[in-house]
Each structure stands twice: as structure tokens, then as C-alpha cells.
Amino acid sequence: MSYLTIAMPKGRIFHEAVDLLRKSNYQLPPEFDESRKLIIEIEEEQLRFILAKPMDVPTYVEYGVADLGIAGKDVMLEEERDVYELLDLKISPCYLAVAGLPDTKMNEVAPKIATKYPRVASSYFREQGEQVEIIKLNGSIELAPIIGLADRIVDIVSTGRTLKENGLVEYEHIVDITSRLIVNPVSYRMKNERIQELVDRLNDVILEKQ
Ligand code: PRP
């Protein structure tokens, strides 16, 4: 049996993803959750995990240094990488939305939109027939309308707390998001049996939860 390499997103999805793998009967040691290591091998399972920034997971998978990865649909839409989406893991549900200060209109000429998702945001506003200027930020997007950098933001809403605590409101719902299992197309052919087994085991747990 050869190793399967899985790119895991560090951060909020990580614990839910680990939990799902454990429920699918993969024996991941307790240190797994707290470790600072970026590559973790689990010999008994012949699994190797690489811990990546969420936005980078599809890149590792596209280039084949990871066979599989766990990535949010938001990341998939933004990155448009050449990978297959195998399974909706139904974890970390949230959505992408347009938000801003309450009772404010967007600037009529080239309104500014701050976001971590420039591709998703520009295609959304293009479809709406609105010409906007996209300002790419890397986090704390909610700051932008408050301090006058942007008219609106396009960002993830999960519990809605960040918007609320910063006095922002939601204007438009763009798309629902969950995490996906993705695969490198060549790995999918070459290691099909092992990958299919992983998919089946995950799927049993996902279906059980519904
Ligand atoms: C995300 C997102 C929002 C927040 C939404 O940010 O960008 O800011 O979570 O969650 P909520 O609706 O439950 O409040 P994250 O914490 O990932 O950090 P970031 O600001 O660095 O993007």
C-alpha cells in the first residue's frame, strides 16, 4: 500500500475535518490536533497530511504534491484550480454575502468592494450589471466599510457575529458554502481504489448525519 497525501486547511475547518476522519474510523493520534508540524505521517493508516493555508489547498492538489485536499467551496470558486470535487463533506457551513454599513447606498461611480475573494466578487457584480472597483484584502474585511475604505464587502458569514459586532448589515446573499473533498485527476486514476475507500468511509458518516 502506498501513502495517500491529504492537504488539510489550517484554521476553522481543521477540527471538523479531523473529527469527520476519526468518525470514518481513521486512527489519528491525539497530538494531531495540537501539533505545529506541517507534515504529519500516520504510518498505520498509510496517510500523510500536509497542513496548508485554506486558500492554498487546491494549489497543492492541482500540482499533485497532495493527492487529495479539503477545501471550502469559497476557495474552490475563487481559485478555479484543475482538480475534481469528489464529495460535499457538509462541514463548516457558511455563505458568501455582500455586506456594508446600514442604510447606505453604494457610490454611483465605481463603488469600492473590499474582499478576500476578488474573482468571486467581480463575477458576482458583473452578473448584476454593476461596475465596481475590487480592493483585495487578506483578512479583517469588516474593517473596510467602517473606516471608509470600501462601500461594501464580499465576505464569509458563518454565525453573523462579526457583522453584528461591527455594526454591519447583510445586503445580498451570494452562495452557500460547505467544505469539499477534492482530488488530483492523475491521483484519482492511479490510486483509485484507496481513494474510493476513503470516499465511501466518509460518505457513510456524512449520510448517517442527515
Ligand atoms: C471569517 C470571515 C468573517 C468571519 C465570519 O473570518 O472573513 O470575518 O469569519 O464569521 P461569523 O459570521 O461567525 O462572525 P476569519 O475569522 O476566518 O478571519 P479573517 O478575518 O482573517 O478572514
Side-chain angles (χ1 to χ4, degrees):
M1 210 162 52
S2 66
Y3 270 85
L4 269 187
T5 301
I6 306 178
M8 297 283 278
K10 292 202 285 185
R12 50 174 79 205
I13 303 174
F14 183 76
H15 293 290
E16 281 186 71
V18 169
D19 193 45
L20 182 60
L21 285 163
R22 288 208 173 103
K23 289 199 175 110
S24 309
N25 237 343
Y26 287 97
Q27 303 303 316
L28 310 182
E31 311 85 82
F32 195 81
D33 306 56
E34 305 306 331
S35 174
R36 291 289 167 110
K37 281 194 180 168
L38 299 175
I39 302 182
I40 303 177
E41 283 191 0
I42 304 191
E43 206 190 329
E44 306 77 61
E45 297 286 6
Q46 290 283 290
L47 290 178
R48 181 185 299 117
F49 292 91
I50 61 176
L51 274 56
K53 280 278 182 196
M55 206 59 106
D56 295 335
V57 165
T59 309
Y60 291 101
V61 176
E62 181 184 84
Y63 283 91
V65 290
D67 300 303
L68 295 143
I70 293 180
K73 185 69 185 176
D74 52 331
V75 169
M76 298 296 289
L77 293 171
E78 184 60 31
E79 286 287 305
E80 291 188 341
R81 294 280 169 180
D82 194 6
V83 299
Y84 298 154
E85 213 178 284
L86 281 182
L87 201 57
D88 181 350
L89 300 173
K90 311 252 167 85
I91 57 172
S92 304
C94 55
Y95 57 96
L96 274 169
V98 179
L101 290 169
D103 307 316
T104 53
K105 284 213 159 63
M106 292 211 292
N107 214 325
E108 299 216 338
V109 185
K112 295 193 183 77
I113 312 294
T115 186
K116 246 188 316 201
Y117 303 92
R119 199 196 298 255
V120 175
S122 41
S123 84
Y124 176 75
F125 284 102
R126 200 177 315 119
E127 278 164 25
Q128 308 293 308
E130 299 199 53
Q131 275 208 334
V132 300
E133 179 184 339
I134 303 287
I135 302 177
K136 164 82 168 44
L137 294 176
N138 293 301
S140 302
I141 314 298
E142 290 80 1
L143 268 175
I146 302 171
I147 60 165
L149 176 65
D151 299 84
R152 295 281 189 266
I153 59 172
V154 167
D155 201 16
I156 290 289
V157 180
S158 173
T159 61
R161 261 190 76 186
T162 311
L163 287 183
K164 198 158 175 245
E165 291 189 14
N166 290 290
L168 300 177
V169 295
E170 200 181 304
Y171 282 99
E172 286 149 73
H173 178 289
I174 301 180
V175 61
D176 285 324
I177 307 288
T178 48
S179 298
R180 310 300 161 104
L181 180 72
I182 60 173
V183 69
N184 173 277
V186 176
S187 299
Y188 193 49
R189 269 205 313 279
M190 306 296 282
K191 301 184 181 179
N192 189 272
E193 205 172 311
R194 284 212 66 202
I195 291 172
Q196 202 49 51
E197 190 206 326
L198 173 78
V199 169
D200 291 343
R201 280 163 69 170
L202 289 168
N203 215 3
D204 283 348
V205 178
I206 297 164
L207 293 174
E208 228 169 69
K209 282 203 280 193
Q210 284 181 333

